[in-house]
Amino acid sequence: MLKASPGPHSKSATTVSLVLFQVGGRRLAVKAGEIGGIWTWTTPTVVPSVTPYLSSVLRRGSEVLPVFDLGARLGAPSEGPDRFCLIAKHPDGPVAMCIDGPLPALHLIDPGLLQAPPATDTDIDAIWPLHGESIPVYALGRIVN
Amino acid sequence: MTLRPRGDETGTRQLLLVLCGGLTFAVPADVVRGMAGEDGRPAAEALAGLGVAGPVEEFGDMFGVRPDPASSEPRVIVCGTADHARAFRVDRVLGVEDLPETDFRRLPVQFTGQERQWFGGLFLHGDGLALLVNPGWLIGCEIAPRPAAVRIITPRPEPAPPTPVIGRQVVTVADEMFGVFELEEAHDAESLPWAPL
């Protein structure tokens, strides 16, 4: 039995889902499939550590997640009073990251709009031109590693 | 204070909980020999009686955590064996607790540095978390040198003149006990535990 193809007008075949958010005042995006959730940010517990950008854990109920300092990694510390916690999917388990207050937004875009990433940052999958701004699309799994 | 050895039969672990720099640390009871002094300044005789031969160390220095200068209840805990014990000053002793083994969880695998040697794991404690200190590491290690400091081995009354080497500063020192050795500035300060704090 053959299954009908989605067709040229099917959004699922011609769009990529990106989540746009902000860290340290800088806008960036990640693929929606790399995100495991978005919570209200709460104060993490410091863990003395020498692992780069990992120096705390976040408790949510009985769950304990490592906190990756995405702001420090990007050179732009997260700012603002109403911050959020972005949960990144990672092969070794979910990782929490603090992001700025504006609520992240989901965008369905034509993958043909995406441009090649810069050679200088291997954690960027693509560049998304948006209203005259070049939004880096980061690979969250590679950033944490 | 009386502590009993780890109760394997009951599936629980007895821990001494201490506060240092705002963090809660748990030290397995089977390495705690006792507490000395009432205000964090025990007498030398008290320490000697617990097998401590060296000075009182700051517990936070082990992990790059600054002690709370406003702490009003500092205490000195003595950890080790009858042959080798170390004394550590903490901001506060929270008490002794028995916890089931099932309460402990490993440090998330994303932590890949020396912290995996420092901590045997962590557990939920109150509204927060407590870090389980690795007793073997606590008793056996030495405190790492301060960032960007010269590693002082043994001072000599008449040190040899410095021997500069291109690319790094090296001082050759001859010591009557240890012979001739080199001291060099630590360049890996960024990787030392307290650098990010």
Side-chain angles (χ1 to χ4, degrees):
Chain A
M1 182 176 181
L2 296 178
K3 186 176 176 183
S5 66
H9 300 295
S10 167
K11 286 192 186 273
S12 63
T14 60
T15 60
V16 61
S17 301
L18 297 180
V19 174
L20 180 68
F21 58 96
Q22 195 170 292
V23 176
R26 296 169 52 178
R27 295 209 296 178
L28 59 151
V30 297
K31 292 179 182 173
E34 296 189 3
I35 295 178
I38 295 176
W39 306 336
T40 303
W41 179 252
T42 55
T43 304
T45 298
V46 170
V47 174
S49 162
V50 296
T51 304
Y53 311 117
L54 276 172
S55 60
S56 60
V57 292
L58 196 69
R59 176 180 172 181
R60 190 172 189 246
S62 62
E63 199 174 359
V64 177
L65 301 181
V67 178
F68 183 84
D69 193 343
L70 183 59
R73 164 63 180 81
L74 300 178
S78 179
E79 58 188 27
D82 301 316
R83 292 177 291 176
F84 288 98
C85 175
L86 184 147
I87 306 301
K89 294 179 181 177
H90 187 272
D92 293 331
V95 177
M97 302 179 183
C98 183
I99 63 175
D100 292 352
L103 192 63
L106 177 68
H107 292 255
L108 301 176
I109 67 165
D110 180 355
L113 294 176
L114 298 177
Q115 299 173 353
T120 51
D121 193 333
T122 55
D123 293 331
I124 297 176
D125 268 345
I127 295 296
W128 172 25
L130 179 65
H131 306 310
E133 184 180 352
S134 296
I135 307 291
V137 180
Y138 275 92
L140 283 184
R142 288 205 301 271
I143 275 192
V144 174
N145 286 333
Chain B
M1 176 179 66
T2 301
L3 299 177
R4 60 170 170 75
R6 184 192 311 186
D8 291 327
E9 301 83 15
T10 61
T12 63
R13 292 178 82 171
Q14 192 173 56
L15 304 167
L16 176 68
L17 298 182
V18 299
L19 198 65
C20 188
L23 303 181
T24 302
F25 297 89
V27 181
D30 48 8
V31 301
V32 179
R33 293 180 56 75
M35 288 194 291
E38 289 294 324
D39 56 358
R41 289 193 296 269
E45 295 78 12
L47 292 175
L50 290 170
V52 178
V56 175
E57 302 167 76
E58 292 293 336
F59 188 82
D61 283 351
M62 308 288 286
F63 315 100
V65 176
R66 292 193 181 89
D68 180 4
S71 171
S72 59
E73 301 177 59
R75 293 288 184 271
V76 171
I77 63 172
V78 177
C79 303
T81 65
D83 299 323
H84 176 65
R86 299 173 72 177
F88 300 98
R89 183 176 294 109
V90 299
D91 292 342
R92 189 175 162 200
V93 173
L94 299 176
V96 177
E97 287 190 21
D98 285 324
L99 289 175
E101 291 279 359
T102 51
D103 278 9
F104 299 101
R105 56 188 78 191
R106 298 177 61 186
L107 209 60
V109 298
Q110 290 85 354
F111 289 93
T112 57
Q114 278 184 297
E115 59 273 9
R116 301 208 76 86
Q117 298 174 30
W118 304 340
F119 304 118
L122 49 80
F123 56 93
L124 306 182
H125 184 258
D127 294 332
L129 295 158
L131 297 165
L132 178 64
V133 179
N134 184 341
W137 178 83
L138 182 69
I139 305 305
C141 75
E142 295 180 359
I143 295 177
R146 301 287 178 180
V150 175
R151 293 190 176 99
I152 298 174
I153 310 291
T154 303
R156 264 187 95 249
E158 295 180 1
T163 306
V165 175
I166 295 176
R168 62 188 178 119
Q169 190 67 30
V170 174
V171 176
T172 302
V173 178
D175 181 86
E176 61 185 6
M177 180 178 294
F178 297 106
V180 177
F181 53 90
E182 293 179 338
L183 308 179
E184 66 177 31
E185 182 176 9
H187 293 289
D188 58 346
E190 292 78 14
S191 66
L192 291 173
W194 46 78
L197 297 178

